[in-house]
Amino acid sequence: MALLAQLAGGPAGAAPPAPVRILALGDSLTAGYGLAEADAFPAQLEAALIRRGRAVRVLNGGVSGDTAAGGRARLAWLLRDAPDLAIVALGANDALRGLDPAQLEANLGAILAELRAAGVGALLVGMRAPRNLGADYVGRFEAVFSRLAQVHGVPLVPFFLEGVAGRAELTLADGLHPNRAGVAEMVRRLLPAVESALPGSPRPTP
């Protein structure tokens, strides 16, 4: 039995470690609007992390049309799945509706505080506001994410659609939502930050 255990690389009957559970909390950009489930952000992120040797399961907590207030309202229910890390990617619909950035900040701040209280790590993902809302609104909206990252001590990816927004070959016909290739580009750009935020990974020095 001892020889068999050595050949198997561990104790006889040892179970593999439980996968790290990652909650992707967001809106249609997370949920995979217009895409097959396997092409949506959570599925592509999970596949990319597994290819890199990470034992993970990514939970799709995206709801199309959700604002930060909607995500906040759903969070307690989503925490029943006991995630180890949450990717918080909300704000696009707040901007599209022209909602007060102070309201966005309050709701995202409450989400980050609730995650911390539950012992769940967080990665905050920012969004940009449409330029037709005016420079004042754009400035106040986009400042929310960096301020919250600093206040709550969480890592920040400044823009969820970096490298995808405005590129017709990476978006659906509506020009807003990423297609399969667009999601792949989002995953590629977010992957280093997600890996750094995983439990047990060394955190970069600020």
Side-chain angles (χ1 to χ4, degrees):
M1 289 296 293
L3 177 59
L4 288 174
Q6 290 178 359
L7 291 174
V20 173
R21 297 168 70 84
I22 303 172
L23 169 64
L25 176 62
D27 46 41
S28 58
L29 300 176
T30 299
Y33 174 85
L35 300 175
E37 183 178 351
D39 295 334
F41 174 77
Q44 289 207 46
L45 176 62
E46 179 177 293
L49 288 167
I50 289 173
R51 286 195 298 270
R52 292 176 66 84
R54 300 284 190 170
V56 299
R57 181 183 174 198
V58 182
L59 310 171
N60 192 338
V63 171
S64 293
D66 228 359
T67 61
R72 178 182 180 181
R74 294 188 291 113
L75 183 58
W77 182 79
L78 291 168
L79 288 176
R80 294 191 296 182
D81 286 328
D84 302 292
L85 172 69
I87 300 171
V88 182
L90 289 159
N93 290 304
D94 294 72
L96 289 174
R97 299 178 190 182
L99 300 180
D100 187 348
Q103 179 179 325
L104 171 69
E105 186 163 5
N107 286 311
L108 287 178
I111 288 171
L112 294 173
E114 189 170 347
L115 290 170
R116 183 173 63 249
V120 179
L123 171 63
L124 182 61
V125 180
M127 182 51 57
R128 292 179 183 164
R131 270 35 193 172
N132 62 3
L133 293 174
D136 178 68
Y137 183 93
V138 169
R140 290 190 298 120
F141 180 92
E142 295 180 2
V144 164
F145 298 96
S146 57
R147 187 160 54 241
L148 284 173
Q150 184 174 18
V151 168
H152 290 269
V154 298
L156 170 68
V157 174
F159 184 33
F160 201 17
L161 292 172
E162 186 68 48
V164 175
R167 295 179 61 183
E169 72 276 17
L170 296 180
T171 57
L172 299 177
D174 62 12
L176 297 174
H177 294 92
N179 58 23
R180 183 182 185 280
V183 173
E185 178 65 11
M186 292 164 65
V187 167
R188 186 186 72 81
R189 290 174 179 266
L190 262 72
L191 203 55
V194 174
E195 285 198 290
S196 293
L198 289 173
S201 296
R203 294 294 180 89
T205 302

